[in-house]
Amino acid sequence: MNDELRQFIKEALELGQSRDAIRQALLEAGWQEREVRSGLGAFADMDFPVAVPRPRPYLHAREAFLYLISFIALYVFAFSLGAVFFGLIDYHFSSSIYRYDSGPSAAQTTALAAIIVAFPLYLFLMRRLAAAVAADPERRQSLIRRWLTYLTLVVGAAVILGDVIALLARLLAGDPTTGFVLKVVAILVITGPIFGYYLWDMRQAEDQVVESAARAAPVLMGLAVVAVVVVVSTIGYSIYLAGTPGQQRDVRLDERRVSDLQNISNNIDSYLDLNFEMPGALEDLMGPRFFVRSVEDPETGEPYEYRVIEGTSYELCAIFATDTSERRDDRRTFSERAWDHGRGRTCYELEAKAEPR
């Protein structure tokens, strides 16, 4: 609050001027309604010879800690939600190698985990802080709360500005792909409500604190409900695409089995090239001149099956937990499809090839 305004209101109240008269005089002098209301709210409305100031907000260390953690949780949640949105957009609209059907990337699983942790934490802390403000509305004026809020507004404004500039640049260049436009929209969907709410909240905090606290409660509740619906829907859809943790474990194990078989096949080619004959057993590939990672199933520890059919033709078999034909969005290459498999025992008939001399 402006010190000059505060001093004027204090002296006017002590001279017996009514609040309405002080407000009217200040408005006619050019002060803003919000500034006047805040100035008058700094003094208690009571019959006393001198102006009685309301207690200025004092933030305890515990509350400062809660505010810091709540804003950190907000940043983690916002960036992680953006990462998940980007992954879903890539899945549906991009030809990139990102695929949920073969399991989300480490970045995507980390983002999902961050949302699951940070979002409830943010809601819990905001509920605690809102309850403290309801009990003592003056806490809305705390200095650390203002600084963190304005920092959030600066970050949000920078993101929105960069987002709009990037979109316009792509439009002017004539290359607005669907995926890119949707990513721009996703950023606006995330940062827009955050920026809008905190901007509105700071404007309300500059008004009379009791009234602003009451006005903020339903807005905060409405935003919380919408945010919960969006977050739960996003997490649920992502898990639906990616599968349960148990399903993902089976997918990873089968990918390891395929990788092992491919590695064994390459080393059989090397064995034929060096020895002019096929290996009698997979153990023959465990020598120092070969690079076999494993000849055993990663889950059961049982050796993979190997059998020479005729000449340089041979068979490799493994027991798989998933069926590649059930993938919802199969964007694998032709060479990757050669290693398709069903559930249970699957054998591949292959031909060993030596390097030409």
Side-chain angles (χ1 to χ4, degrees):
M1 183 195 305
N2 185 286
D3 290 337
E4 183 181 7
L5 175 63
R6 181 185 181 87
Q7 184 63 28
F8 172 83
I9 293 175
K10 178 178 181 298
E11 292 178 357
L13 288 172
E14 291 176 350
L15 290 174
Q17 298 295 320
S18 68
R19 289 176 172 263
D20 289 338
I22 296 172
R23 175 181 290 104
Q24 186 61 36
L26 289 171
L27 291 176
E28 291 179 359
W31 291 91
Q32 297 295 319
E33 173 69 28
R34 185 174 62 254
E35 296 173 315
V36 175
R37 193 160 50 242
S38 178
L40 288 171
F43 296 93
D45 188 6
M46 58 187 300
D47 187 16
F48 199 74
V50 296
V52 180
R54 294 182 185 273
R56 293 193 177 186
Y58 173 74
L59 199 64
H60 298 286
R62 181 180 64 84
E63 290 176 277
F65 170 77
L66 293 179
Y67 274 119
L68 285 170
I69 297 300
S70 67
F71 276 91
I72 290 173
L74 174 63
Y75 297 149
V76 171
F77 158 69
F79 282 104
S80 300
L81 186 61
V84 171
F85 279 171
F86 280 20
L88 293 175
I89 291 169
D90 284 339
Y91 171 76
H92 287 290
F93 298 98
S94 174
S95 59
S96 68
I97 61 173
Y98 176 87
R99 299 194 304 269
Y100 261 101
D101 59 283
S102 62
S105 65
Q108 292 296 315
T109 54
T110 300
L112 276 175
I115 293 174
I116 294 172
V117 173
F119 183 63
L121 176 62
Y122 174 72
L123 291 182
F124 171 75
L125 293 176
M126 290 302 293
R127 181 179 178 85
R128 290 284 302 272
L129 292 169
V133 169
D136 182 9
E138 288 289 342
R139 294 178 186 270
R140 286 174 63 88
Q141 307 296 330
S142 66
L143 185 60
I144 190 170
R145 182 178 185 276
R146 286 173 172 267
W147 273 103
L148 290 173
T149 300
Y150 279 120
L151 175 62
T152 303
L153 291 175
V154 170
V155 173
V159 171
I160 292 173
L161 181 62
D163 202 33
V164 174
I165 291 174
L167 177 60
L168 289 177
R170 292 293 288 269
L171 289 173
L172 293 174
D175 187 29
T177 63
T178 301
F180 175 78
V181 173
L182 288 176
K183 288 180 180 180
V184 171
V185 173
I187 294 175
L188 292 177
V189 167
I190 296 170
T191 58
I194 295 174
F195 180 85
Y197 168 72
Y198 280 105
L199 179 62
W200 175 87
D201 184 60
M202 289 308 299
R203 291 179 63 87
Q204 297 301 310
E206 294 173 358
D207 292 343
Q208 190 171 355
V209 292
V210 176
E211 298 176 2
S212 62
R215 282 196 295 264
V219 175
L220 183 60
M221 180 61 67
L223 285 176
V225 171
V226 172
V228 168
V229 172
V230 171
V231 171
V232 171
S233 300
T234 301
I235 293 175
Y237 185 57
S238 298
I239 293 177
Y240 164 74
L241 292 179
T244 64
Q247 292 171 329
Q248 281 304 307
R249 178 178 180 274
D250 289 341
V251 169
R252 299 299 185 197
L253 286 171
D254 281 351
E255 288 178 346
R256 170 67 184 276
R257 292 179 180 110
V258 169
S259 178
D260 286 346
L261 295 182
Q262 291 173 332
N263 176 250
I264 291 171
S265 176
N266 292 334
N267 280 276
I268 289 175
D269 291 345
S270 298
Y271 187 95
L272 176 63
D273 186 55
L274 292 171
N275 299 283
F276 304 101
E277 64 178 358
M278 296 291 289
L282 293 182
E283 287 74 13
D284 296 341
L285 303 175
M286 303 304 291
R289 293 182 296 177
F290 303 101
F291 301 94
V292 177
R293 289 191 299 267
S294 175
V295 296
E296 297 178 347
D297 186 280
E299 183 177 28
T300 65
E302 295 294 325
Y304 296 116
E305 298 180 41
Y306 165 72
R307 179 175 67 89
V308 178
I309 300 175
E310 183 179 0
T312 57
S313 296
Y314 65 97
E315 190 176 63
L316 286 176
C317 303
I319 299 177
F320 295 94
T322 63
D323 188 344
T324 53
S325 65
E326 296 178 355
R327 297 188 175 188
R328 285 183 286 270
D329 185 28
D330 198 349
R331 306 179 189 179
R332 295 172 300 146
T333 63
F334 176 79
S335 61
E336 290 175 318
R337 291 176 186 272
W339 294 90
D340 280 350
H341 55 79
R343 289 188 180 87
R345 185 173 180 268
T346 300
C347 295
Y348 301 93
E349 187 172 331
L350 305 167
E351 185 76 23
K353 299 177 181 178
E355 291 291 333
R357 296 183 183 278

